């Protein structure tokens, strides 16, 4: 049958072992996107998402999901406790740190423009188990994030209409007698309204989100212009301090940057809509970059104005902007600030609920979740079932639970996703998948291509015959560290390679690059853990920091010296954004995100761990057995297009 037929047999055997408890299925990887599966039987029952979004829509989604009401509070808290007048630079540093992840997202989103965001990228580049955990963590992030935002809207609405008790009784918060549970009908109603809007269509819901976001931006522009006028008139009293511009030193400014970093979370919502973008190679990078840049600029301008109007130590930590204007006799500005806070929360709520149905859609398409979530409404071209399920769950949580204590869990999902996206960029550049899974119904086309190369005797087929070692085999599921057989045609070169252990073959290059990526990740984990463990003995702590730093630098130097894989040019959709400064930029992103993860607190990690353990059991007993890759055949990536063409010709004939 040839090398492709043998490959399928090996893969089928490996699949049986996987079901019985093997580990190979944990690292199996899927195709770049969903485009080829449209013609497959498994995908024939599903409609495609609407191609309706442009750059302006993506900016509305990104800015709306990123700028929440937190900016109206953060400026006071961070300035008082960490940064002082240097708050503007804290926002700048945090924006640069967020941009590192944005660069990684921009490349992967343009190369792999399908629903699923970080889950999709992890499945393609790392493996199924990691992708499942990322998708499971993102489900937690968007559910709790949406519920927390919704519960924050009702008190702001009440303040806008006159006071804490100004909302109608059927919308106001009430305590259930005997249960000590504070229910929030307003939060649940808002979530249901947003859910209904998202079911209408992606273009319509994005248009509404754009209007709400524009109202929020107008409120911030008012703060900037009116505040600038008051500052010029009063001589900027917040900057004329004896303590100087850095009252807490550079450490305080950096601590403030780590706090306000979470104000930039939200631009990843743009990547979740990749399948619905008309021109993803151009528009997705622009949408991510412009939305993040606009958010950073607004944050810096607002913070620069507010810390200049009032000395940092005199700021109100709860209402810093309103109190700053009130100190200059402009008390009516509080109403505009309240409008800005309400519109910011509403747009963030839409940005929190929008991505989750698309994550569920991607996971269901891959067989890891029931097919219920993969259905797309034919008229609206929206995953209505997944959207309604998301809205019902988030609405129930917002109605019954005070999710403020769980809000820290939102950051875990986001930072894990940021970390995996950066690692995926390194894998894409140095060890991209050289084998592609095909469904079993392509057996006839695989046999045909296999027979064609087996019967060919032309010299040009040497490279194809040499791919026997890259056909499907049990060890092909270990993409990063598995050794590859290579053919060396020159004995002298082979002898020199053995003597100096030098990198000459493609197999050795991939192996060294894979180990270097792993070494870098271990070094980052050791370094950040030791640096954050103040309870450790100082000598041990410094020793661990040294070991982690050495591993990190060794991996960085090794990746810098190793050539990137030529296959990266043909990986996914060409012509999109290319992340610069490889490998330094992704490694810096990994370092920052892991450091923030380590410092989230033990309570948050305990709650997240419980959720992840539940996800592991669901994967073991359902997802692993129903995965679309369960009976897949892995073939050399260079032959995939030929196999598809052969299949199409056979179907027509």
């Amino acid at each position: 049958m040839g090398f492709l037929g043998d490959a399928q047999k090996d893969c089928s055997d490996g699949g049986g072992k996987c079901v019985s408890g093997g580990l190979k299925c944990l690292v199996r990887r899927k195709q770049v996107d969903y485009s080829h599966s449209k013609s497959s039987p498994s995908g024939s029952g599903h409609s495609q998402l609407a191609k309706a979004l442009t750059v302006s829509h993506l900016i509305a989604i990104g800015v709306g999901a990123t700028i929440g009401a937190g900016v109206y509070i953060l400026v006071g808290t961070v300035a008082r406790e960490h940064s002082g007048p240097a708050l503007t630079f804290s926002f700048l540093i945090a924006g640069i740190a967020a941009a590192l992840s944005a660069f990684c997202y921009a490349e992967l989103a343009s190369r792999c423009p399908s629903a699923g965001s970080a889950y999709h990228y992890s499945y393609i580049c790392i493996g199924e188990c990691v992708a499942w955990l990322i998708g499971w963590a993102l489900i937690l992030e968007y559910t709790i994030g949406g519920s927390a935002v919704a519960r924050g809207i009702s008190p702001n609405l009440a303040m806008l209409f006159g006071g804490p008790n100004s909302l109608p009784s059927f919308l106001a918060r009430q305590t259930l007698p005997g249960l000590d549970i504070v229910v929030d009908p307003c939060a649940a109603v808002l979530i249901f309204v947003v859910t209904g809007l998202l079911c209408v269509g992606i273009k319509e819901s994005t248009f509404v989100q754009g209007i709400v976001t524009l109202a929020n931006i107008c409120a911030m522009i008012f703060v900037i212009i009116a505040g600038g006028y008051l500052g010029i008139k009063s001589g900027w009293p917040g900057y004329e301090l004896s303590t100087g511009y850095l009252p807490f030193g550079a450490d305080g400014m950096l601590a403030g940057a780590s706090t306000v970093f979470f104000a930039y979370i939200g631009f990843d919502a743009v990547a979740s809509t990749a399948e619905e973008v008309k021109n993803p190679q151009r528009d997705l990078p622009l949408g991510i970059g412009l939305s993040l840049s606009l958010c950073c600029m607004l944050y810096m301008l607002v913070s620069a104005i507010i810390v200049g109007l009032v000395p940092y130590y005199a700021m109100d930590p709860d209402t810093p902007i309103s109190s700053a204007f009130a100190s200059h006799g402009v008390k009516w500005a509080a109403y505009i600030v309240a409008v800005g806070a309400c519109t910011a929360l509403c747009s963030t709520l839409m940005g929190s609920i929008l991505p989750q149905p698309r994550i569920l859609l991607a996971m269901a398409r891959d067989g890891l979740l029931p097919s219920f979530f993969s259905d797309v409404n034919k008229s609206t071209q929206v995953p209505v079932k997944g959207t309604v399920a998301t809205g019902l769950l988030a609405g129930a949580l917002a109605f019954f639970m005070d999710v403020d204590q769980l809000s820290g869990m939102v950051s875990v999902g986001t930072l894990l996703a940021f970390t995996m996206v950066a690692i995926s960029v390194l894998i894409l550049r140095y060890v991209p998948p050289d084998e592609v899974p095909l469904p079993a119904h392509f057996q006839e086309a695989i046999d045909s291509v296999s027979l064609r190369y087996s019967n060919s005797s032309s010299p040009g087929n040497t490279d194809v015959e040499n791919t026997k070692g890259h056909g499907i085999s049990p060890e092909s599921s270990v993409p990063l560290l598995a050794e590859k057989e290579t053919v060396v045609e020159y004995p002298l070169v082979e002898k020199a390679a053995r003597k100096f252990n030098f990198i000459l073959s493609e197999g050795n290059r991939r192996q060294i690059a894979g180990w270097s990526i792993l070494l870098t990740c271990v070094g980052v984990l050791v370094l950040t853990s030791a640096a954050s463990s103040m309870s450790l003995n100082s000598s041990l702590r410094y020793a661990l920091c040294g070991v982690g730093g050495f591993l990190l630098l060794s991996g960085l130097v090794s990746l810098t010296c190793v050539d990137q894989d030529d296959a990266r040019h043909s990986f996914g959709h060409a012509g999109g954004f290319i992340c610069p400064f490889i490998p330094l930029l992704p490694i810096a992103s990994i370092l920052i995100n892991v450091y923030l993860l380590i410092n989230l607190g033990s309570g948050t990690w305990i709650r997240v761990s419980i959720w992840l353990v539940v996800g592991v059991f669901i994967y073991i007993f359902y997802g692993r057995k129903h995965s679309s890759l369960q009976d897949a055949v892995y073939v050399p990536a260079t032959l995939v297009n030929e196999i598809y063409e052969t299949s199409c010709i056979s179907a027509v004939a």
Side-chain angles (χ1 to χ4, degrees):
M1 185 177 293
F3 70 91
L4 290 177
D6 296 338
Q8 184 188 28
K9 181 179 182 300
D10 292 340
C11 183
S12 300
D13 295 341
K17 294 176 183 177
C18 177
V19 173
S20 63
L23 298 178
K24 295 182 179 64
C25 60
L26 303 181
V27 292
R28 56 192 177 192
R29 301 185 285 186
K30 69 171 185 177
Q31 295 184 54
V32 170
D33 57 28
Y34 188 69
S35 59
H36 288 305
S37 61
K38 290 183 289 186
S39 60
S40 67
S42 60
S44 58
H46 305 300
S47 301
Q48 291 295 291
L49 299 176
K51 291 279 188 181
L53 301 182
T54 61
V55 175
S56 59
H57 296 106
L58 297 179
I59 293 175
I61 293 173
V63 176
T66 303
I67 299 182
V71 66
Y72 295 95
I73 301 174
L74 275 178
V75 290
T77 304
V78 177
R80 282 175 60 95
E81 299 178 1
H82 299 295
S83 302
L87 177 61
T88 303
F89 285 98
S90 293
F91 273 109
L92 175 61
I93 295 171
I96 294 174
L100 300 180
S101 296
F103 278 120
C104 299
Y105 265 96
E107 173 162 350
L108 290 176
S110 61
R111 284 181 180 269
C112 316
S114 293
S117 187
Y119 157 80
H120 181 62
Y121 313 145
S122 300
Y123 206 162
I124 292 171
C125 296
I126 302 177
E128 184 175 278
C129 183
V130 172
W132 166 264
L133 291 177
I134 294 300
W136 192 246
L138 288 176
I139 291 174
L140 176 71
E141 171 196 342
Y142 293 128
T143 302
I144 294 182
S147 302
V149 169
R151 284 189 74 99
I153 294 178
S154 52
N156 281 278
L157 280 176
M159 294 300 296
L160 183 61
F161 289 106
N165 300 317
S166 61
L167 288 178
S169 58
F170 68 92
L171 291 177
R173 289 184 178 180
Q174 300 177 13
T175 303
L176 296 180
L179 297 178
D180 196 26
I181 296 177
V182 179
V183 296
D184 193 337
C186 181
V189 169
L190 286 170
I191 288 180
F192 295 150
V193 170
V194 169
T195 300
L197 179 61
L198 292 174
C199 290
V200 173
I202 182 64
K203 193 171 184 179
E204 292 78 7
S205 61
T206 304
F207 176 76
V208 174
Q209 186 176 13
I211 294 176
V212 176
T213 302
L214 184 61
N216 178 29
I217 293 176
C218 289
M220 298 182 74
I221 292 175
F222 165 80
V223 171
I224 295 169
I225 296 176
Y229 170 77
L230 294 175
I232 295 173
K233 185 178 178 181
S234 61
W236 301 106
Y239 291 120
E240 297 180 355
L241 302 175
S242 58
T243 54
Y245 195 73
L246 295 170
F248 300 98
D251 292 340
M253 182 177 66
L254 294 176
S258 65
T259 301
V260 301
F261 174 84
F262 296 101
Y264 290 97
I265 290 177
F267 67 84
D268 53 317
V270 175
S272 68
T273 63
E275 193 171 320
E276 296 158 284
V277 180
K278 291 181 178 179
N279 187 350
Q281 282 70 47
R282 182 197 66 184
D283 293 349
L284 280 170
L286 284 175
I288 293 173
L290 291 177
S291 60
L292 185 63
S293 301
L294 181 58
C295 292
C296 183
M297 181 181 66
L298 290 173
Y299 285 156
M300 291 178 63
L301 290 174
V302 169
S303 61
I305 294 296
I306 299 305
V307 296
L309 290 179
V310 181
Y312 70 92
Y313 51 79
M315 281 188 176
D316 187 328
D318 297 323
T319 57
I321 299 179
S322 299
S323 61
F325 277 93
S327 66
H328 290 269
V330 190
K331 296 183 179 181
W332 54 267
Y335 292 100
I336 297 179
V337 174
V339 170
C342 288
T343 55
L345 284 169
C346 289
S347 62
T348 304
L349 176 60
M350 297 182 67
S352 298
I353 297 179
L354 172 68
Q356 180 164 325
R358 285 140 183 88
I359 300 291
L360 297 174
L361 170 74
M363 297 177 76
R365 280 175 172 175
D366 297 328
L368 303 184
L369 287 177
S371 58
F372 170 87
F373 296 106
S374 64
D375 289 342
V376 177
N377 186 276
K378 292 184 179 180
S379 60
T380 63
Q381 293 184 281
V382 169
V384 172
K385 294 181 179 179
T387 303
V388 171
T390 298
L392 291 175
L393 179 58
L397 284 176
F399 182 78
F400 288 107
M401 294 181 61
D402 184 3
V403 292
D404 288 342
Q405 295 181 349
L406 305 179
S407 58
M409 300 169 68
V410 175
S411 302
V412 174
T414 301
L415 293 174
L416 282 175
F418 284 6
T419 303
M420 290 304 127
V421 167
I423 294 174
S424 297
V425 169
L426 290 176
I427 293 174
L428 185 156
R429 292 299 192 91
Y430 290 97
V431 281
D434 56 356
E435 295 166 345
V436 174
L438 297 180
H441 68 269
F442 281 98
Q443 176 63 64
E444 184 178 349
I446 293 173
D447 292 345
S448 176
V449 174
S450 175
L451 183 63
R452 187 182 310 160
Y453 283 106
S454 297
N455 294 336
S456 176
S457 59
S458 62
N461 291 323
T462 304
D463 293 337
V464 176
E465 293 300 328
N466 287 342
T467 62
K468 288 184 179 182
H470 297 288
I472 285 309
S473 58
E475 64 268 25
S476 66
S477 297
V478 187
L480 297 185
L481 307 180
E483 295 187 9
K484 302 286 186 178
E485 295 181 5
T486 56
V487 178
V488 182
E489 299 181 359
Y490 304 98
L492 294 178
V493 177
E494 181 182 13
K495 183 176 180 180
R498 290 176 179 175
K499 181 176 181 180
F500 297 106
N501 194 25
F502 198 73
I503 308 171
L504 293 178
S505 67
E506 172 63 13
N508 285 338
R509 190 205 62 77
R510 288 178 64 91
Q511 185 179 6
I512 290 176
W515 280 109
S516 298
I517 294 173
L518 178 62
L519 194 70
T520 301
C521 295
V522 172
V524 167
L525 184 61
V526 173
L527 176 61
T528 54
S529 300
S532 304
S533 301
M534 298 299 179
S535 59
L536 287 178
N537 178 274
S538 58
S539 300
L540 177 61
R541 183 164 170 257
Y542 290 141
L544 289 175
C545 286
V547 172
F550 175 77
L551 294 176
L552 172 60
L553 290 176
S554 298
L556 175 61
V557 172
S558 177
L559 290 174
T560 303
C561 296
V562 172
D563 291 335
Q564 297 182 35
D565 199 304
D566 291 336
R568 71 186 188 276
H569 299 299
S570 58
F571 183 87
H573 296 255
F577 178 80
I578 301 297
C579 182
F581 307 115
I582 300 292
L584 179 61
L585 190 148
I587 291 178
S589 177
I590 296 170
L591 181 64
I592 292 171
N593 294 322
V594 172
Y595 176 78
L596 294 174
L597 277 170
I598 294 294
N599 286 277
L600 283 178
S602 58
T604 297
W605 273 109
I606 291 173
R607 290 188 286 267
V608 171
S609 298
I610 295 174
W611 174 259
L612 293 179
V613 168
V614 172
V616 168
F617 279 104
I618 294 176
Y619 173 73
I620 292 174
F621 293 107
Y622 182 88
R624 184 182 63 161
K625 297 179 181 179
H626 293 82
S627 172
S628 61
L629 300 183
Q630 189 66 20
D631 299 318
V633 184
Y634 281 76
V635 299
T638 54
L639 302 180
V640 171
N641 290 333
E642 186 173 353
I643 293 173
Y644 276 115
E645 292 174 359
T646 302
S647 177
C648 293
I649 293 174
S650 300
V652 172

